[in-house]
Amino acid sequence: MSPEWLLDEHGVPVADALVLSHPEQYERLRTACPEAAPTAVLAGDPCWDRMLAARPCRDRFRRALGIRAGQRLVLLNSTWNPESLFGDGGSDDVLPSLLPRLASEFPADEYRFAAVLHPNIWHGHGPGQIRAWLDRARRAGLTLIDPLHGWRQALIATDAVIGDHGSVTYYAAALGTPVLLGAAPLAGLAPEAPVHAFVRDAPRLDPALPLRPQVEAVVRDHRPRPRPAEFISSVPGESATRLRRLFYEALGIPEPDGPALLEPLPLPPYEPPSRTVPLLVLTRLLGSGEIEVTRYAGQHLPADSAGEMHMAVHEDTREVHQLALADVVFRYGDPDDARFGPPEPWTTESLTLHPQCTLAAFVSGSGECTVRTRDGELLWIRAESDADADPAVYASALYAWLAAGRSLDELVVRGLTVRTGAFTHRTTVTRR
């Protein structure tokens, strides 16, 4: 709101109308650049109004991202200056240093991560460079959100945000979402602006401490603050009406009959995570046919991890050298895909291609997989009810059961119960 942005070389306002969303912005404008104050129009925030209208669609937005029941979505958000969460490509940038730790400290079946990066980050570095920098994180399950058309839906869908002083993080706080600031510079913010107070008071992410307890604490202890929502817009739900009136007044023609309407936020395309990095899997036998499975997409396990460890590797992994170390090799596909053949011959071929692995699993549906053991047993594992777990987890649970020397016959009779985090998944095991 400074004169160099709002006035031309003759001291005349550049814009015929300067749209504001709240009266406090007018007071700041009048102080910073009184010459532009007569152009101010209070017209609300159409972006905010669209998000408010789309909040009932939250579950659909989560399903579009492939979020499973019991999974917590954490959105990583960065604005576009060197002090932002993403930074400027230097060695001290926060987000690039966090990504490997997020994969190593958060169980893959309990947490999902998505990133909303300011469009200027994409334009400044180029999409190819952004994807190259984030390549391993993407193959570990990070979803890159469309910076123009998908970020509002992701913001509605998320359970927590790790962000900075940018507007998307402030929108998250206004929606009542728990926020941790990974970058929080105050120097570039007007001291009297509401976002300054937000950045000053919001909880901070401490990179020197374990990350998962900090995220769990901010979600558990969160109490929404009314201030961000109050200052986003003083006229929520009215932006379409006010903006259309302004536009037609500027054109000098009558406004159309009928209500002014905003385009609803579209349902994004279905984009489940694509994890092709090797997975480090911890298992514990809890009882008769019951196994706890915790999978990590990082290169290291958490320091406090416990249980028996094995490695499960997607057949399409870029880390092909890890296939020789895999205990479980798996893939996802249509059972009628002629490139692999039906699941049964694929499992035989996979065990031949990877002679060191113990078990091969073909995930052919939302709740089922076909598994062949090194001993030649061909099994079909299927969820008993509507499944909301990755069936590759069932294959790792079966591996843990057999590695402990337990009887396959017991699973065929009783079924296999798999626990991931707080969720329990009951399956049937059938010999083929």
Side-chain angles (χ1 to χ4, degrees), residues 356-372:
Q356 305 303 319
C357 84
T358 302
L359 186 149
F362 191 104
V363 177
S364 56
S366 61
E368 62 186 47
C369 63
T370 300
V371 177
R372 191 183 297 274

Side-chain angles (χ1 to χ4, degrees), residues 100-117:
R101 295 182 57 193
L102 296 175
S104 294
E105 297 183 31
F106 290 81
D109 296 296
E110 299 172 49
Y111 281 86
R112 281 283 311 283
F113 291 90
V116 171
L117 306 179

Side-chain angles (χ1 to χ4, degrees), residues 26-45:
Y26 177 75
E27 296 304 320
R28 287 193 286 127
L29 173 66
R30 194 170 60 174
T31 300
C33 186
E35 299 89 342
T39 69
V41 179
L42 183 65
D45 182 342

Side-chain angles (χ1 to χ4, degrees), residues 235-319:
V235 286
E238 298 183 26
S239 63
T241 298
R242 289 172 175 255
L243 287 170
R244 189 177 75 172
R245 183 186 308 133
L246 171 64
F247 298 156
Y248 277 88
E249 286 177 355
L251 291 169
I253 59 177
E255 191 176 353
D257 295 331
L261 302 173
L262 294 172
E263 189 75 18
L265 292 180
L267 184 64
Y270 180 56
E271 292 185 87
S274 177
R275 288 194 187 93
T276 59
V277 298
L279 299 175
L280 302 180
V281 186
L282 292 174
T283 59
R284 287 195 307 146
L285 272 63
L286 303 177
S288 180
E290 184 172 359
I291 299 153
E292 180 183 72
V293 179
T294 309
R295 303 189 300 172
Y296 294 91
Q299 296 174 289
H300 308 282
L301 290 171
D304 60 349
S305 57
E308 296 297 320
M309 197 273 281
H310 70 268
M311 183 183 293
V313 183
H314 193 296
E315 191 181 41
D316 291 340
T317 185
R318 187 175 300 174
E319 291 85 350

